[in-house]
Amino acid sequence: MPVHNSEIADRFDRLADLLEIEGANPFRVRAYRNAARTVRGYPRSMADLLAEDVDLTELPDIGDDLAEKIRVLVASGELPLLDEVEERTPPALSELMKIQGLGAKRVKALHEALGIDSLEELQEAVDSGKVQEVEGFGEKSEEKIRRRLKKFSGSEHRTKLVVAEQIATPLVKYLHKARGVKDIVIAGSYRRRKETVGDLDILVTAGSDNDVMAHFTKYDEVEEIASQGETRSTVYLRSGMQVDLRVVPQVSFGSAQHYFTGSRDHNIAVRKLGQKMGYKINEYGVFDGDKRIAGKTENSVYKAVGLPLIPPELRENHGELEAARDGRLPDLVTLKDLRGNLHTHTDATDGHDNLRAMAKAAQEAGLQYLAITDHSKHLRVANGLDEKRLRKQLTAIDQLNDQLSGLRLLKSIEVEIREDGKLDLPDSVLEELDFTLCAVHHKFDLSRKKQTERILRAMDSPHCHILAHPSGRLINRREAYDIDLERILQAAAERGCAVELNAQPERLDLTDEGCRMARDLGVKVSIAADAHSTRGFDNLRFGIDQARRGWLETDDVLNTRSLRALLHFFNR
Ligand code: DGT
Ligand code: CA
Ligand code: CA
């Protein structure tokens, strides 16, 4: 039974949590967390790589010891060190650490003072006001924990799209082997390319003599069969993911796709439109009385209600029906439209590969320009560049540009925005760059007012061309810092500053709504891989998904421009 990347990553994260509670060496803790991140985000499964004899130490953050642990995990499903550490830690403490802001120390303090061992007990303690009486906690921190507990219970069971893909892809491949299968579509939020999905909704068409359901429930990864019927079954996989599978008749395939892609609100709005025309619309078809007038294709469903096909990413009932009716549907940006990438790290800071390797990978990804944006000096953990090291890199870029054809390297830096809004490097060196990418990586807990002003001040600098990952959130892991995004985007529009849609699948920052706000305010968006290795350019497709959910067209996206037009934009 193959072990999923997400399972391996979860074990490493858990090990890191437990070690942290024990007060282990922080570098050791961080090593496991970094490894977890690498494995979780990796586009291919560790099991496949090992089967192909790939040396895992070539992956970022994976040394000999971790490579060996992964090998044992894949071979046996065991991580013996984790078992050892589990045995000596009080149970359920690591569960508590998933509440943001409750690090190992505070979990330990709550455990020792109140005997809290579980989320339920923590909730009770918060409800009865006991937490604020513990030394080191107060009314404010109790309130914070209360809010986070609430959020936590909501986000816990949603899976990041990239992880859902890793789970869905082999399943679909397996389903294709069932007898009599014709088409397979993953519908639901997955098809709408939402940043997280609650469960997978799979639709299959098949001949009458098929064994789809029996085949499905026999899948290796199935942990529990919640229900099994002739046309519908629900299972839970070992990853925890729920999968609903339906076998639908060919004549209804379009209607089923439409219905199960959702969203629910979009469906209801389409059904109302149909009702006005005297039609009944459901997952089996569009009916005029008893007569089925559409349903074989999705196109036929929309056509029946007088609309063009609406792309799945827009189906949230956020104005897409009106836009379709008025012929104003956006011509959504596609991956092919991207000509370059404006956020890249090399091994000069926290990237894994050198300048030349990154350039080569960008060429292979079909890009025409690539901006090198290593970190600046304030970010010591990432070995940020000071003026001297940056200048050295600029010379290296000049030299490499002389040798390259078809790709132009752009000089830039991901410069830290300090707490007071000043940029982390002097103007004299920023002036030498093609453009500057500005970012917040510390002091996340400023008040909304202060945080917003900090960023506005940074944007006052003539050197702030793009604001990187504007909210700082990490999906399911770290909340956005508190900012007035609308005000920031308005200021960006006034100053001709662009904002980034960071395409790392755990960031996707701007959100879909943020993209739409940027578009409405006329702010250009840079869809950026934030590549930390040669494989990082694959992130761009997740950025495109999110951008499409945010209604972005080619012209709204900065890095669809030709090099010339791009440089012109930076010379505003
Ligand atoms: P998720 O799984 O929470 O990420 O979100 P969805 O959109 O995949 O929702 P899910 O799995 O509950 O249902 C899949 C689709 O089925 C949903 O997008 C629309 C359709 N659907 C489910 N329940 C209803 C309903 O009560 N009315 C209508 N019209 N459609 C529904
Ligand atoms: Ca779903
Ligand atoms: Ca479902």
Side-chain angles (χ1 to χ4, degrees), residues 282-303:
N282 59 29
E283 62 266 49
Y284 301 106
V286 181
F287 297 90
D288 186 357
D290 286 342
K291 194 166 173 261
R292 188 199 311 263
I293 60 163
K296 192 152 192 276
T297 64
E298 261 192 332
N299 222 342
S300 75
V301 175
Y302 283 105
K303 203 168 160 208

Side-chain angles (χ1 to χ4, degrees), residues 200-429:
L200 294 173
D201 307 280
I202 303 184
L203 304 176
V204 175
T205 63
S208 50
D209 176 35
N210 74 73
D211 70 346
V212 173
M213 284 307 175
H215 185 73
F216 172 52
T217 51
K218 270 191 244 135
Y219 186 47
D220 253 359
E221 298 282 320
V222 170
E223 187 168 73
E224 186 194 330
I225 302 171
S227 69
Q228 183 173 0
E230 244 166 67
T231 59
R232 175 177 177 182
S233 298
T234 295
V235 304
Y236 293 96
L237 302 181
R238 286 197 293 134
S239 55
M241 179 72 91
Q242 178 186 327
V243 185
D244 292 340
L245 183 126
R246 289 178 184 78
V247 179
V248 302
Q250 201 75 52
V251 283
S252 303
F253 190 42
S255 281
Q257 277 184 72
H258 181 255
Y259 184 90
F260 291 109
T261 295
S263 66
R264 189 175 158 273
D265 291 349
H266 173 89
N267 289 352
I268 292 171
V270 171
R271 199 163 57 210
K272 273 198 191 138
L273 257 184
Q275 275 163 359
K276 275 193 204 147
M277 304 165 86
Y279 302 146
K280 199 179 109 197
I281 299 181
N282 59 29
E283 62 266 49
Y284 301 106
V286 181
F287 297 90
D288 186 357
D290 286 342
K291 194 166 173 261
R292 188 199 311 263
I293 60 163
K296 192 152 192 276
T297 64
E298 261 192 332
N299 222 342
S300 75
V301 175
Y302 283 105
K303 203 168 160 208
V305 294
L307 296 178
L309 183 90
I310 298 177
E313 296 92 331
L314 296 184
R315 299 182 195 171
E316 299 291 344
N317 197 29
H318 287 165
E320 71 277 11
L321 289 183
E322 295 76 4
R325 183 193 62 204
D326 301 343
R328 288 187 288 107
L329 275 179
D331 185 6
L332 298 177
V333 64
T334 68
L335 189 58
K336 281 205 293 282
D337 296 325
L338 298 185
R339 301 205 201 184
N341 175 46
L342 302 176
H343 191 158
T344 315
H345 296 273
T346 72
D347 59 1
T349 61
D350 64 349
H352 183 251
D353 295 310
N354 66 29
L355 191 59
R356 186 178 290 272
M358 293 306 283
K360 193 162 156 260
Q363 267 176 326
E364 278 161 13
L367 302 179
Q368 295 163 26
Y369 47 85
L370 176 70
I372 303 302
T373 57
D374 271 313
H375 290 288
S376 68
K377 63 180 193 279
H378 182 95
L379 222 56
R380 288 214 196 92
V381 285
N383 191 21
L385 302 181
D386 59 15
E387 239 180 295
K388 201 169 142 212
R389 287 176 61 216
L390 175 57
R391 283 220 159 79
K392 205 174 134 206
Q393 187 181 61
L394 299 185
T395 311
I397 290 175
D398 280 335
Q399 285 167 355
L400 195 50
N401 263 333
D402 285 342
Q403 299 163 23
L404 288 170
S405 68
L407 179 83
R408 163 84 176 267
L409 294 176
L410 297 176
K411 299 174 190 168
S412 185
I413 187 144
E414 183 178 13
V415 71
E416 192 59 22
I417 300 175
R418 292 198 221 144
E419 188 180 353
D420 61 5
K422 289 214 181 83
L423 303 182
D424 189 29
L425 287 171
D427 286 353
S428 55
V429 65

Side-chain angles (χ1 to χ4, degrees), residues 157-159 161 164 189-190 194-200 241:
H157 298 297
R158 299 195 62 83
T159 305
L161 188 56
S189 50
Y190 185 93
K194 230 177 132 159
E195 61 193 30
T196 61
V197 307
D199 69 357
L200 294 173
M241 179 72 91

Side-chain angles (χ1 to χ4, degrees), residues 457-473:
R457 206 158 308 144
M459 288 198 309
D460 280 337
S461 158
H463 295 297
C464 180
H465 295 94
I466 304 178
L467 177 63
H469 40 70
S471 87
R473 66 107 177 237

Side-chain angles (χ1 to χ4, degrees), residues 7-19 22 28 32 69 73 77-89 94:
E7 280 176 274
I8 298 173
D10 287 349
R11 304 273 187 97
F12 283 160
D13 269 336
R14 186 165 172 80
L15 182 56
D17 286 351
L18 296 179
L19 288 172
E22 283 192 339
R28 195 164 160 229
Y32 286 113
K69 287 199 166 66
L73 253 169
E78 306 278 322
L79 179 57
L81 178 62
L82 177 59
D83 298 339
E84 255 172 61
V85 182
E86 295 259 21
E87 255 173 53
R88 57 182 195 238
T89 0
S94 70

